[in-house]
Amino acid sequence: MLRDAFFKGVRDLRRSFLYWAVGIAFMVILFCLFYPTVRDSAASVQKLIDSLPAAFKNVFIGQGVSFTSPKGYIDGRILSFMSPLLFLVFAVGLGARQIAGEEEAGTLSLLLSYPMSRRRLLAQKAAVLVVAIAALTVAHFGALVIGVTLEHMNPGYGALLGANVDLFLLALSLGTLSLTVGAATGRHGAAVGVSTIVAAAAYLVNALAPLSHTLKPLQKLSLFYYYGGAQPLSIGVRPVYAGLLLAVTAVLAAVAFLAFERRDVRV
Amino acid sequence: MTAAIVTERLTKSYGKNRGVVDLDLEIAAGEVFGFLGPNGAGKTTTIRVLLDLIRPTSGRVTVLGLDSRRQSLAVRRRVGFLPGELSLYSHLTGEETLRFFANLRGGVDWQYVGGLVEQLDFDLTKKVSDLSTGNKRKLGLIQAFMHRPELLILDEPTVGLDPLVQHEFHHFIAEARDRGQTVFLSSHVLPEVQRVCDRVGFIREGEMVAVEEVSALTGRAVRELDVVFAQPVSPDVFAHVPGVTAVSANGGGLHLTVAGPLDATVKKLAEFEVVTMTSREPDLEDVFFHFYSGRDRAS
C-alpha cells in the first residue's frame, strides 16, 4: 500500500473518505425519503416557493423548476446546491493538501530528495485527486439510485448517471484549481481560499444572472453554467459542456505542471 | 577521482535575504566535510541547491560529476539526505516510513536496513508521532543511509539531541567515512565539526570565509577561561603570557582568552592559588574573529 506517492495518498485517505461517502449517501437518501411529503402537498409547497424572492429562490432552490416533480425535487434539493457544496469542500481540501499541504508540513523536501521528478510526483498526486472524487461520485450515484428506487421517483437512470458525471467534472475542475494554486505557490491557505472564492462566485453568478442584466453576460464564464446550469437533471447533460469542464481541468493541470517544475520548494 | 561536490560562483538571492554569494566549494570523494556557520548563514540554502529543491540565481553546481539541475534524478539516486528541519509522516510507523521511502528508491537491501536499525537501537513499531526528537532523527538518519549512498548530505544532524545520541551519530558518521562514503555535514558548533570532519568550510552571511584542515584548526583553538584566585591577581601578570590574547578582571578573578596550546597559561596560573577554573568553547563569531581578524589586517 506504500508503493509510491499515489498509493500512499489513497491509503492516507481511507478513513476520512469513508466518513465523506457515508455522510453524503446518508444525506442523499434522506432527501429522497422526504419526497412523498412534498409531492402530496405539491400545491401548497409550490405556492410557498413562488412567494419567495426570486434571488433567494435561485440561490437556494434552483431556477424556475417545478420543485414538486421528481426531477425538479432532486435538482432543487440535492444536485443544485447541497451536493456541489459538499463535493467542493472535499475536492478543494484534497487538492490543496496534495502539494501545498505536504510542503507546509515540511515533508515535500525530503520526498523530492528521492529520485522522483516533480512531474511524476505531481502526476501521482493528481491521480489521488481524480480517484478520490470519482469514488465519492460513485457513492453519491449509488445513494441516489437507492433513494429514487425506494420512492419510485423514476427520473431515468441514464439522466441520473449523466448528472453525476457532470458533478464529478465540476468537482474535479475546482479540485484541480486548488491543486494548481497549491503547486504554484506552496501555500495551503491560498489554494483553499482562491478555489473557494472562485466556486462561490461561479455559483452566485450562475444563480443570479437570469435576474440581472449586469450579470447576464458573465453567466457563461461560470463553471456552474456548464454543470447543467446547476440543474443537471432537469436541463440534462450536454457533452459539449462536459467537455468544456474537462478542458478547464486540463488547462489548470498544465499550469500546475509548468509552475511546480520551475519554482523553489520552500523549507 | 571525481570531486563529490563542486560549486563555482554559486549565488542564490531571495528578495531581501542574502542567500549565498559567489560560493566556491570543492569536496573530494571520501572526505568528511564540515560546513560551519551561524544560523542563517546560507548552509541550508547551499544544501537545497545541491538537491535541486531550489535553483541557483547564477553559478554552476556539480554533484558526483553530474549537473545538479539537468541530471538531478541521477544525483538524487546516489545521495542520502537528512534535512535540518526533519518532518516525517506522523501517522506512519517507523517501519512504514522506511518501506515507503525504500519503495521510492527501489532496490534497497532490507537486510542492510535491518542492520542500521539494530545499530541505532531503533524501535520500528512505534508511530512517528510517538517518537522523541532523537528517535525521529534516528529514523531520518536510517532513511538517508539505507541505500548505501556515495554521498551523504546531513543538515545539522545533531542539533537538539542529547549528548549520548550525538555521540552515536558521530560514531555513525565515522563509520561511513571508513566505508568510503563522502559526508557533507552542516553545523553551527565547532567542536562537533572538529570531532568528525577532515576539513571545514566557514560560511558567514552567504560567503565562504575560509576552508581549513581540521588538524590545522585544533592547534589554534581558542578557549575562554574564568579563573578565581584565593588572593586578587592583577590582569597585567597574564598580559604577556604566550597564547593569551585578552585578559580582564572579572569579579574576584580573571577572564582569559587563550589561543592555541594552554601550556604556558597553566604554568603561569600554577604560581598562584587557584580556587576554581572553568573553560568553555567560544561561540562561532569569536572563532571567526580570532582566526581571521588578524589575517584580514595582514592582507
Side-chain angles (χ1 to χ4, degrees):
Chain A
M1 262 321 262
L2 290 165
R3 219 169 63 203
D4 57 26
F6 169 72
F7 283 99
K8 178 177 171 299
V10 170
R11 180 186 186 275
D12 290 346
L13 260 175
R14 287 176 306 190
R15 186 162 309 160
S16 71
F17 178 81
L18 197 70
Y19 293 142
W20 274 97
V22 169
I24 283 184
F26 190 68
M27 175 204 80
V28 166
I29 292 175
L30 210 65
F31 275 136
C32 290
L33 295 181
F34 202 62
Y35 176 65
T37 332
V38 173
R39 182 194 53 207
D40 295 345
S41 43
S44 47
V45 170
Q46 196 59 53
K47 216 168 109 189
L48 175 71
I49 289 172
D50 291 341
S51 70
L52 293 171
F56 186 90
K57 198 178 96 184
N58 278 15
V59 170
F60 293 107
I61 294 171
Q63 302 157 29
V65 290
S66 150
F67 189 70
T68 50
S69 73
K71 280 188 176 187
Y73 178 82
I74 295 171
D75 267 341
R77 215 68 209 96
I78 301 172
L79 290 176
S80 77
F81 186 67
M82 283 310 290
S83 295
L85 179 69
L86 293 171
F87 268 70
L88 294 182
V89 173
F90 178 78
V92 165
L94 190 60
R97 271 209 301 284
Q98 294 311 309
I99 297 292
E102 185 126 20
E103 191 160 357
E104 290 196 343
T107 48
L108 188 63
S109 292
L110 187 57
L111 202 51
L112 284 176
S113 78
Y114 277 75
M116 166 164 53
S117 68
R118 295 189 189 187
R119 210 174 309 152
R120 206 171 106 209
L121 177 66
L122 187 57
Q124 293 183 357
K125 294 286 199 179
V128 172
L129 187 68
V130 175
V131 167
I133 298 174
L136 197 64
T137 310
V138 169
H140 182 263
F141 176 64
L144 263 177
V145 168
I146 293 171
V148 301
T149 309
L150 284 177
E151 294 305 333
H152 312 290
M153 293 161 89
N154 302 324
Y157 292 115
L160 213 51
L161 180 62
N164 276 275
V165 169
D166 249 14
L167 179 64
F168 165 75
L169 292 174
L170 176 74
L172 185 62
S173 66
L174 284 156
T176 305
L177 173 64
S178 178
L179 172 75
T180 301
V181 175
T185 64
R187 298 190 189 275
H188 185 270
V192 172
V194 169
S195 316
T196 305
I197 289 170
V198 168
Y203 182 77
L204 288 175
V205 164
N206 179 67
L208 299 176
L211 308 174
S212 154
H213 289 298
T214 331
L215 288 179
K216 190 80 199 155
L218 294 177
Q219 190 176 17
K220 290 197 167 144
L221 292 176
S222 164
L223 289 170
F224 280 85
Y225 180 77
Y226 304 100
Y227 168 59
Q231 303 164 79
L233 211 48
S234 311
I235 291 183
V237 177
R238 296 173 61 175
V240 181
Y241 286 2
L244 234 138
L245 285 175
L246 208 54
V248 168
T249 303
V251 169
L252 286 170
V255 172
F257 279 99
L258 285 176
F260 189 48
E261 192 64 37
R262 272 151 215 246
R263 76 177 170 91
D264 288 350
V265 171
R266 293 189 301 137
V267 178
Chain B
M1 208 173 195
T2 328
I5 298 174
V6 181
T7 73
E8 292 166 48
R9 299 182 65 78
L10 168 65
T11 298
K12 174 68 187 178
S13 22
Y14 301 103
K16 246 192 336 195
N17 300 338
R18 187 185 297 262
V20 293
V21 185
D22 286 342
L23 191 84
D24 289 320
L25 192 63
E26 182 159 353
I27 293 163
E31 77 171 324
V32 178
F33 188 93
F35 198 35
L36 188 66
N39 291 326
K43 303 189 295 287
T44 298
T45 300
T46 308
I47 285 173
R48 293 173 74 76
V49 169
L50 299 177
L51 293 163
D52 196 37
L53 292 169
I54 58 177
R55 278 63 189 266
T57 310
S58 63
R60 239 174 67 89
V61 178
T62 52
V63 180
L64 300 168
L66 302 162
D67 185 277
S68 74
R69 282 226 53 188
R70 281 181 296 108
Q71 295 163 297
S72 173
L73 279 185
V75 168
R76 285 184 265 154
R77 230 165 256 136
R78 294 160 61 186
V79 171
F81 173 49
L82 175 65
E85 283 183 30
L86 177 66
S87 302
L88 297 161
Y89 300 106
S90 55
H91 62 288
L92 298 184
T93 65
E95 165 141 20
E96 287 166 343
T97 303
L98 292 178
R99 291 269 180 205
F100 175 57
F101 284 129
N103 289 339
L104 292 185
R105 286 218 179 270
V108 170
D109 172 3
W110 202 251
Q111 283 225 301
Y112 181 73
V113 177
L116 296 175
V117 168
E118 209 164 297
Q119 195 189 339
L120 284 173
D121 193 22
F122 181 78
D123 180 0
L124 280 177
T125 60
K126 273 194 183 171
K127 271 193 175 188
V128 168
S129 54
D130 295 332
L131 294 176
S132 66
T133 313
N135 278 326
K136 266 182 209 152
R137 204 74 63 82
K138 281 184 184 176
L139 187 53
L141 203 65
I142 295 168
Q143 66 78 30
F145 275 77
M146 70 180 169
H147 55 299
R148 297 181 232 225
E150 290 158 67
L151 171 63
L152 286 146
I153 298 179
L154 312 174
D155 193 2
E156 307 250 12
T158 63
V159 68
L161 297 185
D162 68 62
L164 216 65
V165 184
Q166 279 192 17
H167 185 79
E168 269 183 275
F169 272 43
H170 294 156
H171 186 69
F172 216 74
I173 292 165
E175 283 187 347
R177 187 213 341 243
D178 296 344
R179 285 191 296 260
Q181 291 169 298
T182 309
V183 181
F184 180 68
L185 92 98
S186 79
S187 176
H188 64 274
V189 281
L190 183 62
E192 166 169 273
V193 169
Q194 282 178 312
R195 207 163 303 136
V196 297
C197 298
D198 303 315
R199 281 199 308 150
V200 50
F202 291 93
I203 182 171
R204 188 169 55 167
E205 292 181 6
E207 293 183 55
M208 199 62 136
V209 185
V211 179
E212 299 269 357
E213 301 278 335
V214 166
S215 52
L217 273 181
T218 352
R220 288 191 289 144
V222 175
R223 276 179 199 82
E224 310 274 331
L225 296 181
D226 279 303
V227 191
V228 177
F229 300 95
Q231 275 85 40
V233 174
S234 160
D236 300 340
V237 177
F238 288 90
H240 299 292
V241 172
V244 174
T245 57
V247 57
S248 59
N250 175 18
L254 293 179
H255 178 86
L256 300 157
T257 308
V258 187
L262 283 172
D263 189 62
T265 313
V266 170
K267 285 185 173 142
K268 191 74 188 169
L269 283 170
E271 295 173 13
F272 305 93
E273 191 182 340
V274 175
V275 181
T276 64
M277 183 169 87
T278 51
S279 161
R280 61 179 178 82
E281 301 286 345
D283 64 32
L284 266 188
E285 287 297 315
D286 289 342
V287 175
F288 286 127
F289 181 77
H290 286 288
F291 283 172
Y292 305 109
S293 59
R295 187 173 301 177
D296 288 347
R297 240 174 280 139
S299 62

